[in-house]
Amino acid sequence: MKTYIDTGKKDTRSGFGEGLTELGRTNPNVVALCADLIGSLKMQDFIDENPERFFQTGIAEANMMGMAAGLTIGGKIPFAGTFANFATGRVYDQIRQSIAYSGKNVKICASHSGVTLGEDGATHQILEDIGLMKMLPGMTVINTCDFNQTKAATIAIAEHDGPVYLRFGRPKVANFTAEDQKFEIGKAVHLYEGRDVTIIATGHLVWEAIQAAQKLSEKGISADVINIHTIKPLDEKAIIDSVKKTGCVVTAEEHNFLGGLGESVARTLAEHNPAPQEFVATQDTFGESGTPDQLMEKYGLNAEAIIKATEKVLKRK
């Protein structure tokens, strides 16, 4: 069984910051906007090198989205950054009307997503953002799993023509994907080949899925593990091919089971290859204050939860 090595825990928001800085050096059309969260979004290096290409909007996220839409008219590629809660729920009307409806080339960069935001609590821990964004026609939705993948995704979306929602997080997590990876929007990453169950994970739950697969292997259960970094457009072929082989699936995400990755996988399978499915996700609830590890355990968003879901779905085959 292949071994994935954590080269040292890093926060995915820093991957975004490094990717943005690199884009500042290579693409003169890239500009950045922030709603008074420069440090949290790791934008300072970009600002230091490109002060004339940065716009501080203050705590006015709706205005930021409108400004970003306007900048695209002149050929700029705006990266608008704030917390995921403020980048979606607070400004949904502006995103729908000013960005998505007219297909503006805005990159909405959302940090501090999910319960791993931690101690700030439920008011800041958005768990419905993937659902909100994937429902917008033409919106690409990406949820990265580690520092390296986030950096690669940040660079890749600058070459994509159209609106993108890039979702990443606050805590330091395992960094295990290749530093020199090529990020391909809409293309799943196959981590393990297996025959008994398909485990499809996104974001912070990808590392947990790897840990779960290794422990399941010790029990004689062979898991086919897929990293879905792009929720929309979804790599339906990778999902269908895997589930045809295994006959059942577990989806894992740091998001509400309503509207997230699991729901997209269920729709795909309902249309092409119906199969038993279990959902590792928050269960129609808000979060609360706590450390990331405490909250991931409480809401069943870890390797142990994936193992339990696997054992349950196998009984339904």
Side-chain angles (χ1 to χ4, degrees):
M1 193 173 194
K2 183 176 180 180
T3 300
Y4 289 92
I5 299 172
D6 176 8
T7 59
K9 287 182 168 51
K10 291 185 176 182
D11 47 301
T12 51
R13 56 183 171 143
S14 288
F16 164 72
E18 282 204 13
L20 183 64
T21 300
E22 187 168 321
L23 283 171
R25 296 166 183 161
T26 59
N27 191 330
N29 285 321
V30 168
V31 297
L33 305 88
C34 191
D36 204 27
L37 289 167
I38 292 169
S40 295
L41 271 289
K42 306 297 183 180
M43 288 177 145
Q44 192 61 54
D45 287 345
F46 177 91
I47 296 167
D48 290 344
E49 295 182 15
N50 311 280
E52 75 288 354
R53 289 156 60 188
F54 174 73
F55 304 90
Q56 172 61 273
T57 68
I59 306 174
E61 293 85 357
N63 288 345
M64 179 174 70
M65 295 303 171
M67 291 167 63
L71 283 162
T72 68
I73 297 172
K76 300 304 179 186
I77 306 171
F79 281 66
T82 184
F83 288 178
N85 192 34
F86 308 144
T88 55
R90 179 173 288 181
V91 296
Y92 198 66
D93 181 60
Q94 282 73 22
I95 292 172
R96 184 185 187 276
Q97 304 296 85
S98 299
I99 296 174
Y101 179 61
S102 51
K104 292 291 191 294
N105 194 27
V106 175
K107 316 307 174 186
I108 301 166
C109 307
S111 183
H112 292 56
S113 61
V115 294
T116 50
L117 170 63
E119 290 82 355
D120 286 356
T123 56
H124 287 52
Q125 294 164 348
I126 194 160
L127 294 164
E128 58 273 14
D129 54 318
I130 290 174
L132 287 169
M133 301 307 283
K134 79 176 186 180
M135 286 190 294
L136 291 171
M139 181 69 69
T140 293
V141 179
I142 296 171
N143 185 38
T144 51
C145 68
D146 71 357
F147 173 95
N148 287 339
Q149 190 173 80
T150 308
K151 180 179 178 180
T154 302
I155 295 168
I157 64 174
E159 301 300 319
H160 174 79
D161 185 20
V164 175
Y165 180 63
L166 177 62
R167 184 188 204 246
F168 45 96
R170 177 188 191 181
K172 291 183 177 181
V173 295
N175 189 37
F176 59 94
T177 65
E179 187 175 358
D180 60 349
Q181 67 188 275
K182 178 184 178 182
F183 187 92
E184 188 174 350
I185 294 172
K187 185 68 173 177
V189 180
H190 220 126
L191 299 174
Y192 287 132
E193 293 283 348
R195 64 182 181 276
D196 298 324
V197 61
T198 297
I199 300 175
I200 301 174
T202 188
H204 294 152
L205 270 292
V206 174
W207 180 250
E208 298 298 322
I210 290 171
Q211 305 308 302
Q214 292 171 349
K215 292 176 182 176
L216 286 166
S217 179
E218 295 171 3
K219 298 182 177 185
I221 299 170
S222 174
D224 208 57
V225 182
I226 302 174
N227 170 8
I228 294 283
H229 51 62
T230 307
I231 312 292
K232 181 186 174 189
L234 189 67
D235 190 343
E236 294 187 347
K237 184 178 186 304
I239 294 165
I240 294 165
D241 288 349
S242 176
V243 177
K244 279 183 177 179
K245 177 176 60 174
T246 65
C248 62
V249 61
V250 172
T251 51
E253 59 191 309
E254 188 186 348
H255 188 272
N256 194 339
F257 80 100
L258 298 169
L261 168 67
E263 190 174 87
S264 292
V265 170
R267 178 196 56 78
T268 297
L269 295 176
E271 290 179 350
H272 301 284
N273 190 69
Q277 179 175 348
E278 291 294 329
F279 299 77
V280 173
T282 58
Q283 302 297 307
D284 194 23
T285 183
F286 291 103
E288 62 184 277
S289 182
T291 67
D293 287 344
Q294 288 172 335
L295 295 171
M296 292 288 270
E297 181 176 358
K298 174 167 183 174
Y299 291 98
L301 304 176
N302 54 22
E304 187 58 36
I306 294 172
I307 292 169
K308 289 179 180 178
T310 298
E311 291 170 342
K312 184 177 179 180
V313 82
L314 285 170
K315 295 176 182 177
R316 297 173 56 200
K317 286 179 69 172

